[in-house]
Amino acid sequence: MPDDATPTPTADPAFLPHYRYLRALAYRMLGSRAEAEDVVQDAWLRWQAADRAGVENVRAFLSQTVTHLCLDRLQSARARREQYVGVWLPEPLVDEDFHPGPEVATEYAQEVSMAFMLALERLSPLERAAFLLHDVFDLDFDEVARRLQRSPASVRQLASRARQHVRAEHVRREVAAEEGERLLRAFGMALARGDLDALARTLTDDAEFLSDGGGVVTAVPKPLHGAERIAKALLGFFRLADWSRTRFQEVRINGLHGWLLHDLNGTPIQTLALEPASDGRIGRIYVVRNPHKLQHLKPGAVAGAG
């Protein structure tokens, strides 16, 4: 059979209705778009070999398969991330409709925000699975117990512990699109003018700057804290760089306003996302420069690039 005729998950009419749901679950479990795609592909291969006559609920069967594949990967991922060079951030989702159902935009932004994904990283694999399946994907505890092959009481406890950790590290806050756009404009104008005071005023006093280069490209190795320190560092980077061969594209990154930077060929160089704080200023800046985490943003694939 020719390669272009080889079946794929999205060409399987029995699998396609569940594809986005499964991919969304896998991304939230793993924090990696590439690994989420691999897991869904593996789940589809298992679906091909399954005795479908014995499957009463296709989505439950597939999501249980994806959950267990993710749990297997999380065990090795935790070990890899202990060896990760510098700050680890999840792979950015840029201008993507990457959610399983008709959630409103603010709800979607909360569920894939960088802060939320980082909070999930602090959980054990089973805590993460129980919390996501119940609190994000709205499954009752009996169903979660079946999928994790644990008792309902144990998954309740897992989800409760996870919820406490997530709430301690991540405060849900709905941000109007106009607020995000305003902050991005003010931030960009101050940066372009080289105005240190104006740039610092866009940031909270305890603002945090996180940059992920993965040891592959240059990045700030540790988080930076404080408005003035971050503003000075940003202006220093901005002045040293040659921007004649770089293009800035305004995008939404994991639900946050920011930029995708790419070269003249459309190859992504980095993403920068701004997280608003409760006082209307920027509380966190997330920069992903690791090229391995930008591979899914193929040259010219993002609308409006160039």
Side-chain angles (χ1 to χ4, degrees):
M1 182 181 291
D3 288 344
D4 59 1
T6 302
T8 63
T10 54
D12 182 340
F15 192 89
L16 182 59
H18 313 288
Y19 177 79
R20 287 170 57 194
Y21 178 94
L22 298 172
R23 190 175 65 165
L25 172 60
Y27 175 78
R28 288 163 173 81
M29 284 285 290
L30 299 170
S32 167
R33 162 69 185 263
E35 286 193 87
E37 296 281 5
D38 289 345
V39 161
V40 173
Q41 176 74 19
D42 289 347
W44 176 70
L45 291 173
R46 295 190 181 200
W47 171 243
Q48 297 301 296
D51 177 10
R52 301 188 187 185
V55 177
E56 295 182 4
N57 186 320
V58 175
R59 176 159 294 191
F61 173 86
L62 292 173
S63 58
Q64 182 174 18
T65 302
V66 164
T67 299
H68 284 285
L69 288 169
C70 288
L71 287 172
D72 290 342
R73 286 183 177 242
L74 278 173
Q75 300 293 346
S76 58
R78 289 169 74 88
R80 290 198 309 271
R81 286 168 194 172
E82 289 177 1
Q83 306 299 320
Y84 197 80
V85 178
V87 175
W88 182 91
L89 291 174
E91 285 185 17
L93 301 182
V94 175
D95 276 352
E96 294 212 37
D97 184 24
F98 202 64
H99 54 93
E103 298 98 331
V104 295
T106 52
E107 192 72 13
Y108 163 60
Q110 294 287 345
E111 290 180 2
V112 294
S113 73
M114 289 287 186
F116 182 68
M117 297 300 295
L118 287 174
L120 292 178
E121 282 296 303
R122 310 293 192 267
L123 307 178
S124 73
L126 280 173
E127 286 173 342
R128 189 167 183 162
F131 172 74
L132 287 171
L133 290 171
H134 180 265
D135 286 44
V136 176
F137 288 85
D138 295 325
L139 300 182
D140 62 49
F141 281 118
D142 287 341
E143 180 61 28
V144 175
R146 282 192 289 272
R147 295 193 186 186
L148 297 184
Q149 297 176 328
R150 297 289 192 279
S151 69
S154 67
V155 296
R156 282 180 184 275
Q157 193 172 41
L158 286 167
S160 177
R161 284 202 305 265
R163 196 177 304 116
Q164 291 174 18
H165 289 308
V166 169
R167 286 175 177 171
E169 296 195 26
H170 171 59
V171 178
R172 291 176 62 90
R173 177 173 176 265
E174 295 185 3
V175 177
E178 296 79 8
E179 180 180 356
E181 292 166 0
R182 175 188 62 78
L183 280 174
L184 185 63
R185 284 196 300 270
F187 178 85
M189 288 176 62
L191 193 59
R193 292 198 308 263
D195 189 331
L196 176 62
D197 291 338
L199 186 59
R201 285 196 299 272
T202 67
L203 307 170
T204 60
D205 295 340
D206 60 349
E208 186 175 31
F209 176 89
L210 302 170
S211 178
D212 180 345
V216 182
V217 297
T218 304
V220 179
K222 295 181 179 180
L224 293 179
H225 297 92
E228 187 172 350
R229 187 181 182 196
I230 294 171
K232 286 180 178 178
L234 285 170
L235 286 179
F237 303 149
F238 195 78
R239 288 166 180 158
L240 289 173
D242 176 11
W243 299 110
S244 63
R245 300 184 59 79
T246 305
R247 298 292 179 266
F248 286 68
Q249 181 185 353
E250 188 171 333
V251 293
R252 297 293 290 271
I253 301 165
N254 287 66
L256 300 173
H257 284 81
W259 295 310
L260 168 66
L261 279 64
H262 52 85
D263 65 20
L264 299 182
N265 295 319
T267 302
I269 300 169
Q270 73 173 50
T271 59
L272 181 149
L274 305 179
E275 182 179 279
S278 58
D279 65 356
R281 292 183 290 173
I282 298 164
R284 264 186 177 179
I285 300 174
Y286 304 95
V287 172
V288 176
R289 304 197 71 241
N290 185 344
H292 300 311
K293 295 187 176 183
L294 304 175
Q295 288 179 338
H296 61 282
L297 304 174
K298 298 177 183 178
V302 182

